[in-house]
Amino acid sequence: MDLKLSMAQEDILFVADSTGHISQWKWREGTEISRKQLNRSIRGFAATFDPVASIETLFLIADTIQSEDGQSCVLAVGIKDNTESPDWQVDILRYTDIQLRHIVAAPSGRQIFAASESTLLLGLRERRETRIRWKSFNFPQGVACITTYVVKAQTSHRKYAGLDLAIGGKDGSIWIYENITLLVTMPQGLRGQKKHWHRFAVGAIKYSADGKSIPSRFELLFIVLTSRRELSHIRWA
């Protein structure tokens, strides 16, 4: 089961489960608003919101229907509004023969990141375009968890300046990719910074609210990357 708060209304919660159900709740009241059956096992999802079109989109990774060979697909579930009878629209964005286990997306929905244990799949959509361009990268360290941070622009003309990506590896390493959208267009391919590593696989990773530090977890030990350069260790009792 996976839970995500709505990007459009803070009192709305989305719930997806392995049976293929995705539901919409008013979590403060404990009331289910609506439910959609996708007829496929859901492994995870990310919530985004387009304020111009007033559409909230959930990007999901799920098994293909009647799949027995580990195939996955990326779905987009567009929700026109959060009324008592929302309009659900389901589109299949990508089929793949790898087992996707993680997914995150930029708030705008123009960048999608899905990952298996050894592959990172990036979906990029330019402004005013509906088509998504996909790129695939190998990650031999093994993906244990991923997170993103939206870099805010310094001018009033632009709301966002870029998107950073951090990956916790199964080997305990932590990789940081600054301005991931620009990096994937470089001829040398995707190159990140290896900052530190845990003794074993990273259990969880998350950017701080200001993006200056990245707490990560292995069992009861937290490692915080201050200013993305200096390391400090915090023991959690």
Side-chain angles (χ1 to χ4, degrees):
M1 180 178 290
D2 198 3
L3 312 174
K4 292 291 185 302
L5 284 173
S6 167
M7 298 287 290
Q9 299 184 46
E10 62 180 13
D11 63 335
I12 298 296
L13 178 72
F14 294 103
V15 180
D17 60 38
S18 60
T19 64
H21 288 97
I22 183 164
S23 54
Q24 195 177 16
W25 291 75
K26 290 185 177 180
W27 63 270
R28 288 192 176 97
E29 302 173 5
T31 304
E32 184 180 88
I33 301 173
S34 61
R35 174 180 289 258
K36 182 73 173 178
Q37 171 58 261
L38 299 181
N39 295 316
R40 61 187 76 213
S41 179
I42 301 171
R43 295 183 178 270
F45 73 101
T48 67
F49 179 63
D50 183 349
V52 177
S54 189
I55 295 178
E56 191 154 20
T57 302
L58 307 180
F59 293 101
L60 303 96
I61 50 176
D63 294 338
T64 54
I65 297 178
Q66 297 179 345
S67 173
E68 297 180 357
D69 53 4
Q71 288 187 337
S72 304
C73 60
V74 180
L75 305 173
V77 179
I79 305 169
K80 184 58 178 176
D81 53 41
N82 286 324
T83 61
E84 298 299 325
S85 300
D87 181 20
W88 300 74
Q89 180 178 346
V90 181
D91 296 306
I92 298 177
L93 303 180
R94 170 91 180 200
Y95 281 109
T96 176
D97 58 359
I98 60 178
Q99 290 186 337
L100 298 174
R101 300 182 181 276
H102 314 275
I103 187 166
V104 293
S108 63
R110 290 201 298 270
Q111 296 95 7
I112 309 164
F113 308 93
S116 67
E117 289 191 357
S118 59
T119 303
L120 183 64
L121 188 64
L122 278 66
L124 305 175
R125 178 171 60 87
E126 298 295 335
R127 192 182 300 272
R128 300 186 182 89
E129 286 189 4
T130 57
R131 183 177 65 90
I132 296 178
R133 296 181 292 110
W134 295 93
K135 291 191 175 183
S136 180
F137 300 90
N138 292 327
F139 193 81
Q141 298 82 3
V143 178
C145 46
I146 57 177
T147 186
T148 58
Y149 176 74
V150 176
V151 181
K152 295 181 180 179
Q154 301 299 318
T155 66
S156 58
H157 300 289
R158 297 179 61 192
K159 189 172 182 180
Y160 304 124
L163 191 73
D164 295 349
L165 176 73
I167 300 178
K170 284 187 172 294
D171 64 347
S173 61
I174 296 172
W175 291 79
I176 299 173
Y177 303 89
E178 296 182 346
N179 200 345
I180 185 71
T181 306
L182 178 63
L183 281 178
V184 298
T185 63
M186 296 296 182
Q188 67 268 27
L190 192 64
R191 290 189 178 181
Q193 305 172 53
K194 184 178 180 180
K195 292 294 186 179
H196 195 68
W197 56 91
H198 295 264
R199 292 175 58 191
F200 300 102
V202 180
I205 191 170
K206 185 74 175 179
Y207 279 96
S208 61
D210 59 7
K212 293 183 179 180
S213 51
I214 306 176
S216 59
R217 178 182 68 83
F218 160 66
E219 293 184 351
L220 299 181
L221 175 65
F222 282 72
I223 296 179
V224 180
L225 307 184
T226 306
S227 298
R228 309 191 191 192
R229 294 181 181 89
E230 302 172 0
L231 280 173
S232 60
H233 300 262
I234 300 177
R235 178 74 65 179
W236 184 269

